């Protein structure tokens, strides 16, 4: 890194430094005062009804805004609409058919530009093809594809005919796919021959075939050709997309759906137990997704080129690659492959090529880019960027400041957005034209959202204070339950604190009332009677100049109950050594207190992560305690944990000292 840049970042990291919105940003921003927050707070239902009417087109109006029979909410009861109509037809009818919906770039470098009119045409054909395969309203359709335009098309085609989609991330194993198909009792699977990832073929069809050997409900499989590497087709069951879809009519009237009809199931990333089929419905979901997309990203639909670099296989992709952006008639970028193919500047070349103005990333990606160094973003002109977003994990201040300076050029507000598969849409986030930012804080609840911090008895802790994050009133895009298991829904989210939704995250509020997320409460360690959050120790570790990324778990310890075990990825060019272990232990001791010093530190090249980039601490805990590994099916790369395990057990002091 150039020395002046290093100095700038160091100076920005001064504790307590805040970032008010610049006058230039405020001048063009959608929200610059508290009027909307206050109105929403005074009358949340009236506020959401206003948004539903303004942002969506309804075939028939609702008669009741919200019915709340704790823990079951319904929104816009009696209203009728169609999601694909809202995402496509109405924009074409309004004359925006030639506007680009997606600039798509394949990993090998092939590109496609898809307008709203073309997308409507393709979605209608696909919807007719699904009907031809026997799909009816209410049926479940599983989708197992890479990041190709046909993936959003598949979601929209289901929505068009009232089928329920259940997307399984294209990197998941045959077992994960099988379990999710069987839980949803899906009738049709949409998949492909393969997907491109890091220059190689991800064998989707072979994996799907393995899963389907044990999926009795699947009748037909629609197969998209992408990699053309030659895959087996099962006679009578498998149909090539190119044989069926183009031959269909491009006229498929959108099915009028009830506001509370099921739109999709999405299985949670499963960092803990058995995956849950989270249920999202139609009217409330689309309202809140469109609202948050418009106001959190301060959208200017005529000028912005928006890129959410997540995968459609997780909720961020559902809400902020497909439904939010299309409802708001946005021009988006979609990229198929990995960020280091053919080189580590791929993302930045895409930003420059399409003139991306809004970029939405996960902290895990940002930390990876930090590890690779500034030379890659510095190769490209990224002056088109005007707003940056972060989602998926707490972002540590070092990564925030790096994102601010190196990617945003010190000019772009960063919206740190807290939400969950279960919440459907962003819940806590800055409003970029209003909120003064603090690096590492998701700041405040958005308009219409009730959030609080409570202690173990469910009592509000006030400001400042720390405890459990809860949501205090229903919101339109909230999950409607867990598929097939209403009791588990009640137990998981509503049983812990009476009348409140428990998010599972720990949180602190500072003197100014800002929310600071501390990670999952399952990840809190108890060391000699002291609660220490894994996120705090991880933040301390990545605050050391040698460390790129860190994961921390509490391992069972005979003397202290639990001991802190750390897994550390060093920055490029830093050599691991015993001296560095000592230095890092002292560094944590100084930052938090001697009690938080890791007992063991293992240097590693990689960490076990889910496909959405979340560290699977549960598996690291198994490693640190030398236990059989729990469910590894949701890992991005199952090899990583095995290799950490063998090295962990080999290291001096890796066992109990
Ligand atoms: C959207 C998504 C949800 C969990 C959530 C929390 C963590 C997400 C965060 C964040 C701190 C943020 N999380 N965003 N933690 N700051 N801005 O990630 O959904 O995959 O269901 O995960 O992710 O722990 O409870 P999902």
């Amino acid at each position: 890194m150039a020395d002046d840049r290093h100095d700038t970042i160091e100076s920005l990291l001064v504790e307590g430094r805040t970032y008010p919105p610049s006058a230039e940003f405020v001048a063009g921003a959608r929200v610059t005062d508290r009027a909307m927050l206050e109105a929403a707070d005074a009358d949340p239902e009236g506020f959401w009804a206003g948004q539903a009417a303004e942002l969506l087109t309804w075939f028939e109006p609702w008669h009741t805004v919200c019915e709340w029979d704790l823990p079951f909410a319904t929104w816009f009861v009696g209203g009728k609409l169609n999601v694909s109509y809202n995402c496509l037809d109405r924009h074409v009818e309004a004359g925006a058919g030639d506007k680009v919906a997606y600039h798509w770039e394949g990993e090998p470098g092939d590109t496609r530009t898809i307008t709203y009119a073309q997308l409507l045409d393709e979605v209608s054909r696909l919807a007719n093809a699904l009907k031809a395969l026997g799909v009816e309203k209410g049926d479940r359709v599983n989708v197992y594809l890479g990041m190709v335009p046909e993936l959003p098309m598949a979601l929209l085609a289901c929505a068009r005919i009232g089928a329920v989609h259940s997307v399984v991330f294209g990197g998941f194993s045959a077992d994960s796919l099988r379990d999710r198909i069987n839980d949803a009792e899906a009738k049709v699977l949409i998949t492909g021959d393969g997907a491109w990832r890091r220059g190689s073929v991800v064998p989707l069809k072979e994996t799907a075939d393995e899963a389907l050997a044990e999926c009795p409900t699947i009748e037909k499989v629609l197969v998209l050709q992408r990699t053309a590497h030659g895959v087996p087709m099962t006679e009578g069951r498998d149909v090539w997309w190119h044989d069926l879809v183009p031959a269909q009519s491009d006229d498929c009237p959108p099915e009028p759906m009830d506001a509370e009809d099921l739109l999709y199931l999405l299985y949670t990333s499963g960092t803990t137990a058995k995956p849950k089929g989270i249920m999202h419905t139609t009217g409330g979901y689309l309202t809140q997704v469109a609202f948050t997309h418009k106001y959190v990203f301060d959208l200017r639909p005529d000028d912005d080129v928006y890129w959410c670099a997540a995968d459609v296989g997780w909720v961020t992709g559902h809400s902020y690659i497909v439904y939010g952006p299309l409802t708001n008639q946005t021009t988006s970028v979609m990229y198929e492959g990995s960020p280091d193919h053919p080189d580590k500047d791929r993302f930045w070349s895409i930003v420059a090529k399409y003139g991306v103005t809004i970029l939405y990333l996960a902290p895990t990606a940002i930390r990876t880019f930090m590890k690779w160094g500034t030379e890659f973003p510095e190769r490209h002109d990224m002056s088109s960027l005007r707003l940056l977003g972060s989602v998926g994990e707490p972002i540590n201040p070092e990564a925030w400041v790096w994102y601010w300076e190196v990617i945003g050029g010190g000019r772009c507000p960063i919206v740190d957005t807290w939400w969950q598969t279960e919440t459907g849409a962003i819940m806590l986030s800055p409003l970029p034209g209003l909120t003064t930012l603090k690096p590492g804080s998701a700041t405040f609840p958005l308009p219409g959202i009730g959030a609080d911090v409570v202690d173990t008895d469910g009592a509000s802790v006030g400001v400042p204070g720390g405890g459990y994050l809860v949501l205090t009133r229903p919101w339109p895009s909230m999950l409607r339950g867990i598929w097939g298991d209403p009791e588990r829904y009640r137990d998981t989210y509503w049983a812990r604190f009476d009348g409140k939704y428990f998010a599972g995250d720990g949180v602190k509020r500072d003197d100014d009332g800002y929310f600071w997320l501390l990670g999952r409460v399952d990840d809190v360690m108890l060391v000699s009677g002291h609660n220490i959050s894994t996120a705090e120790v991880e933040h301390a570790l990545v605050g050391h100049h040698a460390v790129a990324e860190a994961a921390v778990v509490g391992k069972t310890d005979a003397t202290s109950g639990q001991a802190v075990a750390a897994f550390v990825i060093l920055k490029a060019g830093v050599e691991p050594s015993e001296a560095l272990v000592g230095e890092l232990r002292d560094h944590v001791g100084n930052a938090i207190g001697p009690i938080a010093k890791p007992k063991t530190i293992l240097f590693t090249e990689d960490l076990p992560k889910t496909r959405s980039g979340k560290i699977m601490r549960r598996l690291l805990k198994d490693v640190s305690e030398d236990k059989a590994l729990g469910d590894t099916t949701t890992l991005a790369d199952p090899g990583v944990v095995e290799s950490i395990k063998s090295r962990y057990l080999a290291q001096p002091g890796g066992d109990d000292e």
Side-chain angles (χ1 to χ4, degrees), residues 10-30:
E10 287 295 309
S11 74
L12 292 175
L13 269 170
V14 172
E15 180 94 18
R17 185 181 164 129
T18 62
Y19 297 73
S22 68
E24 205 187 330
F25 191 90
V26 172
R30 288 189 174 274

Side-chain angles (χ1 to χ4, degrees), residues 103 105-109 111 305 307 333 335 338-356 359 369 372 375-385 407:
H103 291 288
E105 184 154 317
E107 193 185 75
T111 58
V305 178
W307 183 20
V333 167
Y335 169 58
S338 88
D340 55 355
H341 192 85
D343 201 356
K344 296 185 173 71
D345 66 341
R346 185 66 183 267
F347 271 32
W348 320 123
S349 84
I350 291 174
V351 167
K353 178 170 169 185
Y354 298 99
V356 171
L359 178 65
F369 296 135
W372 290 344
E375 66 164 288
F376 300 102
E378 278 166 0
R379 282 183 198 164
H380 301 277
D381 174 8
M382 301 203 288
S383 57
S384 57
L385 287 171
I407 305 305

Side-chain angles (χ1 to χ4, degrees), residues 345-610:
D345 66 341
R346 185 66 183 267
F347 271 32
W348 320 123
S349 84
I350 291 174
V351 167
K353 178 170 169 185
Y354 298 99
V356 171
T357 59
I358 303 172
L359 178 65
Y360 194 26
L361 292 178
T364 179
I366 298 164
R367 287 191 293 264
T368 302
F369 296 135
M370 274 177 86
K371 183 173 70 183
W372 290 344
T374 51
E375 66 164 288
F376 300 102
E378 278 166 0
R379 282 183 198 164
H380 301 277
D381 174 8
M382 301 203 288
S383 57
S384 57
L385 287 171
R386 66 176 195 93
L387 185 107
L388 303 173
S390 168
V391 58
E393 282 185 295
I395 179 167
N396 50 297
E398 289 74 16
W400 194 102
V401 164
W402 191 91
Y403 197 27
W404 167 273
E405 183 57 29
V406 179
I407 305 305
R411 144 191 104 245
C412 308
I414 297 177
V415 288
D416 176 0
T417 63
W418 178 89
W419 60 295
Q420 306 178 298
T421 305
E422 292 87 340
T423 68
I426 299 168
M427 303 294 280
L428 304 186
S429 167
L431 287 165
L434 172 69
T435 315
T436 291
L437 308 173
K438 297 189 182 184
S441 168
T443 72
F444 302 104
L446 286 174
I449 302 305
D452 198 6
V453 184
V454 298
D455 63 19
T456 38
D457 300 323
S460 187
V461 300
V463 172
Y468 304 95
L469 178 61
V470 293
L471 301 169
T472 53
R473 56 171 108 105
W475 62 99
S477 65
M478 68 187 271
L479 75 166
R480 298 305 195 259
I482 296 175
W483 178 251
D485 204 344
E487 275 318 301
R488 190 172 178 203
Y489 167 62
R490 198 186 286 274
D491 291 349
T492 309
Y493 304 108
W494 301 92
R496 177 98 179 244
F497 302 114
D498 197 29
K500 290 167 184 154
Y501 171 89
F502 174 44
D505 283 2
V507 67
K508 261 199 239 177
R509 295 185 76 184
D510 66 16
D511 292 332
D512 303 321
Y514 280 65
F515 286 71
W516 297 78
L517 276 303
L518 298 175
R520 307 293 298 166
V521 294
D522 313 332
D523 292 338
V524 170
M525 304 170 287
L526 193 63
V527 182
S528 305
H530 297 268
N531 275 319
I532 300 171
S533 101
T534 55
E536 274 176 307
V537 181
E538 287 162 8
H539 284 184
L541 285 166
V542 292
H544 188 279
H545 57 80
V547 176
E549 186 150 23
V552 162
V553 297
K555 80 178 219 185
T556 306
D557 186 90
T559 42
S560 54
Q562 285 190 318
V564 180
F567 298 80
V568 169
I569 302 180
L570 295 173
K571 283 196 184 139
V574 180
E575 285 302 317
S577 68
E578 272 308 307
L580 188 54
V581 170
E583 202 178 311
L584 291 177
R585 294 184 73 237
D586 290 343
H587 178 77
V588 174
N590 291 334
I592 307 175
I595 190 85
K597 277 188 182 182
K599 184 163 181 182
T600 58
I601 294 180
L602 181 78
F603 296 118
T604 172
E605 295 286 307
D606 229 329
L607 289 166
K609 287 182 187 163
T610 66

